[in-house]
Amino acid sequence: MKLNSIRFIFLLFLVVVPLFFASAQDFPSEIWHKGVLVSIDGDTIRGQLKYDLQNNAVQVNTRNVMQTYSARKIHYFEIFDETIDSYRHFYALPYSVQANYEVPLIFEVLYEGQLSLLCREEVVTEAAPQYNAYPYSYYGGNTFNQTRARLKYQYYFLEPQGKIQNYNLKKSELYTFFKKRQQQVKQYIKKNNLKHDRMRDLVRVTAYYNALLDS
């Protein structure tokens, strides 16, 4: 086999194998979960659930009978997510998309209290530069780009009066949601070295703030 052919096969291996594993990944919104859905009419439906936050809908498979519920028909649903070995809880809540105009969107509840932490997820595709170990790449350099999919989270805070506010992951903005105990929250974040854009840390901060309100 000629040297050029060997180089081509090696480069093809570097590109195709990572793409294969990336495409083989299943995200929670792409698989069925055991769960229960409660409609706005008060009906309780149990079965296998698959959620679609992009279209604000949930599919329910009950004994091979498929039904689709839009956010307008959903009050609440719960799933057991085997990818994280935990239960997850979702509500359809009115969200202001324009002045004086609300639409129901599906939100996951990460923490529920006087101030609740919500989130919505989406699968996004992004470029991921890869290092080419072979020094004489046909592409003219030692790196090349491939695309990969990952989960992206958008966070929201639900205030006691029912208003849902979007959080843009800016640290300075985060403190505005804890206005009644802002200084204590700042100290708590610093002391525990918490990140303003990491899910588990946002849950901890929200829980701490609610504990301060309850004390």
Side-chain angles (χ1 to χ4, degrees), residues 2-58:
K2 293 182 179 181
L3 181 59
N4 284 343
S5 297
I6 296 175
R7 289 175 178 173
F8 176 77
I9 293 173
F10 179 71
L11 288 171
L12 188 64
F13 176 83
L14 288 177
V15 173
V16 172
V17 171
L19 288 176
F20 170 78
F21 285 106
S23 63
Q25 182 176 4
D26 288 325
F27 293 101
S29 60
E30 299 172 336
I31 61 179
W32 293 92
H33 308 270
K34 184 178 180 180
V36 57
L37 181 146
V38 178
S39 72
I40 59 172
D41 298 324
D43 298 326
T44 300
I45 305 97
R46 301 180 185 276
Q48 295 292 317
L49 276 64
K50 187 197 296 190
Y51 62 87
D52 181 355
L53 298 190
Q54 182 176 354
N55 293 303
N56 284 287
V58 177

Side-chain angles (χ1 to χ4, degrees), residues 21 39 70 72 115 122 125 143 149 163 171 182-184 198:
F21 285 106
S39 72
S70 70
R72 296 184 183 276
L115 181 70
E122 64 175 324
T125 302
T143 61
K163 184 178 180 181
K171 191 172 185 179
Q182 193 172 102
Q183 192 57 40
Q184 290 167 283
R198 188 161 57 191

Side-chain angles (χ1 to χ4, degrees), residues 95 105 107 116-120 153-158 164-167 177:
Y95 182 70
L105 297 183
F107 295 91
S116 297
L117 177 63
L118 315 175
C119 84
R120 283 171 57 84
Y153 296 96
Q154 181 63 59
Y155 299 99
Y156 304 81
F157 286 97
L158 173 61
I164 299 175
Q165 294 199 57
N166 181 26
Y167 168 46
F177 297 107

